[in-house]
């Protein structure tokens, strides 16, 4: 991985963790303030970050599988 790719990956992991923590804080604040809207927004933020992480990892694994298949076909 290039140094730029490593920096982008680190930034993406940092932002994903920040999004999960922000969703958790918003959810807890909704419980404390007895606000259904804040609780729902917290849950939606957590779920959207998790879906984004899942889509990203599935794309990465699909790309790695494609590269592996290409290497196997070159060896034959």
């Amino acid at each position: 991985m290039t140094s730029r790719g490593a920096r982008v990956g680190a930034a993406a992991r940092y932002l994903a963790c920040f999004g999960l923590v922000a969703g958790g804080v918003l959810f807890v604040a909704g419980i404390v303030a007895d606000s259904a809207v804040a609780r729902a927004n917290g849950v939606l933020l957590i779920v959207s970050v998790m879906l984004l992480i899942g889509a990203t990892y599935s794309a990465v694994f699909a790309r790695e599988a494609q590269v592996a298949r290409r290497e196997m076909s070159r060896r034959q």
Side-chain angles (χ1 to χ4, degrees), residues 5-18:
R7 286 194 309 262
V8 169
R13 285 189 295 274
Y14 173 75
L15 289 175
C17 290
F18 179 77

Side-chain angles (χ1 to χ4, degrees), residues 12-44:
R13 285 189 295 274
Y14 173 75
L15 289 175
C17 290
F18 179 77
L20 290 172
V21 169
V25 168
L26 187 57
F27 180 75
V28 170
I31 291 173
V32 170
D34 195 28
S35 171
V37 174
R39 284 192 304 258
N41 285 340
V43 169
L44 288 174

Side-chain angles (χ1 to χ4, degrees), residues 1-10:
M1 183 182 293
T2 64
S3 63
R4 181 173 183 235
R7 286 194 309 262
V8 169

